């Protein structure tokens, strides 16, 4: 919940070009993500169906807001942000489709959106995990660029290319491996 709450704050700070504070808030969001993962791995009674549904959603919201805001601030090119948003939208659409196909009748809205009726789990591919890491590195580097005066750096531009490559490769991996990335939990 903290990451979802920090997303609009980060977006506002970036659009207002308050990059010093935005960089600090981004680090805080990262710490909450690490803390959330640590707690979920080490205390079994802290895991929940709602938490496992909200965690990837919070990541997608945060990444999307950061990329759009950084693009508005002219720190990340429009085509790269478009590519990332389109990939994530396609993945979300696929998740909704899988949810529909694995939820047994009656398929009511309350059952469909109830995370307690877990029917399938998406297993990220290796390249998808790598892509997420590269995307976050680019966000951190882009936020730090105006703070440390390297906005026009060739290294930042190289990171754009690497991010584009891992984003396309990740999208292709989900398309290619399709069913292998989805594990049906139970038929409800």
């Amino acid at each position: 919940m903290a990451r979802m709450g920090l997303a609009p704050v980060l977006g506002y700070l970036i659009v207002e070009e308050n990059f010093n504070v935005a960089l600090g808030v981004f680090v805080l969001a990262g710490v909450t993500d690490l803390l959330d993962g640590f707690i979920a791995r080490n205390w079994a009674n802290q895991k929940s169906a709602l938490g496992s549904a909200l965690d990837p959603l919070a990541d997608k919201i945060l990444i999307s807001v950061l990329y759009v805001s950084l693009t508005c601030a002219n720190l990340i090119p429009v085509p790269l942000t478009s590519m990332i948003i389109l990939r994530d939208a396609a993945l979300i659409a696929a998740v909704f489709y899988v949810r529909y196909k694995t939820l047994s009748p009656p398929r009511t809205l309350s059952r469909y959106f109830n995370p307690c009726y877990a029917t399938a789990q998406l297993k990220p591919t290796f390249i998808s995990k790598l892509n997420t890491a590269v995307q976050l590195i680019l966000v951190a580097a882009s936020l730090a660029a105006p703070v440390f005066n390297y906005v026009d750096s060739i290294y930042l531009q190289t990171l754009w290319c690497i991010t584009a490559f891992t984003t396309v490769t990740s999208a292709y991996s989900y398309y290619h491996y399709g069913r292998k990335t989805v594990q049906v939990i139970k038929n409800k």
Side-chain angles (χ1 to χ4, degrees):
M1 296 301 287
R3 276 175 286 147
M4 284 192 267
L6 289 174
V9 172
L10 269 167
Y12 175 78
L13 290 169
I14 292 167
V15 169
E16 291 296 315
E17 298 183 2
N18 194 342
F19 299 112
N20 290 323
V21 176
L23 191 55
V25 173
F26 176 70
V27 169
L28 176 63
V31 168
T32 65
D33 188 23
L34 292 173
L35 186 60
D36 177 46
F38 176 79
I39 290 169
R41 279 188 303 277
N42 291 297
W43 287 282
N45 63 338
Q46 293 299 308
K47 289 182 183 179
S48 70
L50 180 61
S52 64
L54 286 179
D55 185 55
L57 179 63
D59 290 342
K60 295 293 179 212
I61 289 170
L62 185 62
I63 289 286
S64 297
V65 167
L66 285 166
Y67 271 88
V68 169
S69 302
L70 288 164
T71 299
C72 289
N74 295 315
L75 293 171
I76 292 179
V78 171
L80 179 58
T81 296
S82 299
M83 186 183 304
I84 290 166
I85 300 294
L86 284 172
R87 175 198 167 265
D88 287 349
L91 281 176
I92 291 167
V95 166
F96 278 107
Y97 174 76
V98 167
R99 175 65 169 178
Y100 176 79
K101 293 302 272 183
T102 58
L103 188 67
S104 63
R107 291 183 178 119
T108 63
L109 283 176
S110 62
R111 285 186 74 227
Y112 185 86
F113 289 105
N114 186 342
C116 293
Y117 291 114
T119 57
Q121 181 178 10
L122 182 66
K123 292 180 174 183
T125 61
F126 171 76
I127 188 66
S128 180
K129 290 179 182 182
L130 179 64
N131 176 245
T132 299
V134 170
Q135 286 180 359
L136 289 172
I137 289 167
L138 177 57
V139 165
S142 298
L143 274 174
V147 175
F148 298 106
N149 293 324
Y150 63 88
V151 172
D152 294 324
S153 167
I154 188 71
Y155 299 113
L156 198 54
Q157 294 169 11
T158 302
L159 195 50
W160 294 344
C161 294
I162 293 168
T163 305
F165 176 76
T166 61
T167 300
V168 169
T169 306
S170 170
Y172 177 75
S173 75
Y174 280 116
Y175 170 77
H176 181 73
Y177 294 110
R179 296 181 192 269
K180 294 178 184 176
T181 62
V182 176
Q183 177 187 6
V184 176
I185 297 172
K186 53 184 141 179
N187 292 319
K188 282 196 171 187

